[in-house]
Amino acid sequence: MSAPTPDASDPTPGASGPMPDASDPAPNPSGPSPESLDQRLVAIARHPFRAKFHLRGRDRATAELSGPSTLRWHAYDLIAKRLAPAEPYKDGKQTPYRGHPVFVAQHATATCCRTCLERWHEIPKGRELSRAERAFVVDVICRWIEREVAGAQTRPGP
C-alpha cells in the first residue's frame, strides 16, 4: 500500500527523513541536523492549523523549568507508549492539545498520530515505529520546543 499523496496546498516536507539513532533518547550525533529540522518545522508551520500552536502558560513554564534533557526523556516515553505501536490506542485522538509541552509540540510538528506521521513525515502506518523513527520524532519535537523556548525569551508577554 502506497502512502497517500497530499494535496498541492499542503507544504509537506520530504527532504530529510528519519535518521538512525542510538538505543536511548540522548541526542544522536548522526541524526538530523538542527538546520534540516528547522527547514522541516518551517514547512510544517506554513499550514494554518500547525502554525497556531505555541507554548503558553503552564506548558511554557514546564518546558523552561524542566530543561531539554528531561523533556527529551518525556518525549521518548510518550512516543513509545502513544505513537510507536503499529496500531496505537485511539489513534487520531490520543494526543491532548495541552497539559505537557510535548503534547503541544506533537500537534505543532504533525507527530500527534500515525496519520500525520505518514502524511507529513512519510513514516508509514500499520507497523511499529523503529528506534530510528522514534528518535527522529523525538528530535523533531525537542527541536520545536527548543525554538519555542528561545523565541519566548525574546518575545514580549504571553
Side-chain angles (χ1 to χ4, degrees):
M1 179 172 161
S2 64
T5 306
D7 65 296
S9 66
D10 282 342
T12 307
S16 61
M19 302 294 284
D21 73 306
S23 62
D24 63 70
N28 178 12
S30 65
S33 69
E35 294 80 18
S36 69
L37 290 175
D38 288 344
Q39 289 173 350
R40 182 172 293 262
L41 292 173
V42 166
I44 292 169
R46 285 190 205 115
H47 191 273
F49 176 75
R50 307 288 168 198
K52 72 180 181 179
F53 291 97
H54 295 284
L55 289 179
R56 294 182 173 91
R58 286 185 179 179
D59 293 334
R60 183 197 301 186
T62 299
E64 291 171 348
L65 294 172
S66 295
S69 61
T70 300
L71 287 174
R72 181 168 288 276
W73 278 106
H74 288 183
Y76 196 84
D77 184 51
L78 290 167
I79 294 307
K81 290 177 182 172
R82 294 172 174 255
L83 198 65
E87 296 190 20
Y89 177 69
K90 291 180 134 182
D91 192 28
K93 297 176 175 91
Q94 77 269 40
T95 306
Y97 284 94
R98 59 187 169 278
H100 196 287
V102 171
F103 295 150
V104 179
Q106 282 184 267
H107 290 292
T109 62
T111 57
C112 47
C113 66
R114 294 304 294 267
T115 299
C116 290
L117 269 183
E118 185 172 62
R119 183 175 189 185
W120 291 88
H121 300 283
E122 300 172 357
I123 299 174
K125 295 166 73 170
R127 64 166 176 77
E128 188 172 340
L129 295 181
S130 69
R131 283 198 291 193
E133 290 166 338
R134 289 179 198 198
F136 171 75
V137 169
V138 169
D139 287 342
V140 169
I141 290 167
C142 289
R143 183 63 182 164
W144 183 86
I145 293 171
E146 180 183 313
R147 289 167 49 116
E148 278 290 301
V149 169
Q153 291 170 352
T154 60
R155 245 185 347 250

